[in-house]
Amino acid sequence: MTPEHWQRLEGGVLAAVALFAAAMLSGWWWPLALFLVFDLSALGYLAGTRIGAFFYNLVHSYWAPPLVLVVAFADAAWGSGGAWRVLVLIACAWFFHVGIDRALGYGLKHDDSFQHTHLGWIGRTSG
């Protein structure tokens, strides 16, 4: 398997785990309901490919959902404890979205074209 295949498999597994985690909190529908919200980051492309790629990559990277989980766990441990469940479900939805994108081959964007990703070109065949 190529590194691209491994990253696609990794994305699919991450999406499945995120959906399972949401289901454990009786919120299996959250990842589905919020799925397109994360794609609003593509509106940055209205300002050009460089800015669009920045905002798209900011939202479609793996760094942000774990930060949401840290805030959720902090709220559960030291805060009022009321927001932790919603925050965990948002993190699950975010992980689900990024995982599905990776599994389908929609990677992080280069700043020259929306179709140029770290997993290759969207819509172009190799060879």
Side-chain angles (χ1 to χ4, degrees):
M1 279 188 20
T2 67
E4 178 184 331
H5 291 116
W6 281 108
Q7 285 192 349
R8 285 178 169 223
L9 177 62
E10 174 186 67
V13 169
L14 179 65
V17 169
L19 193 58
F20 177 76
M24 295 303 294
L25 290 170
S26 299
W28 63 267
W29 53 271
W30 276 70
L32 304 175
L34 295 177
F35 191 78
L36 294 177
V37 169
F38 304 102
D39 282 335
L40 291 174
S41 62
L43 290 174
Y45 278 94
L46 295 173
T49 57
R50 198 172 124 231
I51 292 171
F54 174 81
F55 284 107
Y56 185 92
N57 292 342
L58 186 68
V59 173
H60 287 81
S61 298
Y62 289 130
W63 67 272
L67 288 181
V68 174
L69 288 175
V70 168
V71 172
F73 293 140
D75 179 69
W78 301 295
S80 64
W84 74 267
R85 184 177 180 278
V86 170
L87 290 170
V88 170
L89 289 169
I90 289 170
C92 287
W94 205 334
F95 272 129
F96 179 76
H97 180 92
V98 175
I100 291 292
D101 271 10
R102 292 291 197 287
L104 295 175
Y106 296 103
L108 298 174
K109 308 297 183 191
H110 289 274
D111 63 6
D112 61 338
S113 170
F114 181 81
Q115 287 81 19
H116 190 191
T117 78
H118 84 285
L119 295 174
W121 286 89
I122 299 170
R124 295 187 186 180
T125 59
S126 60

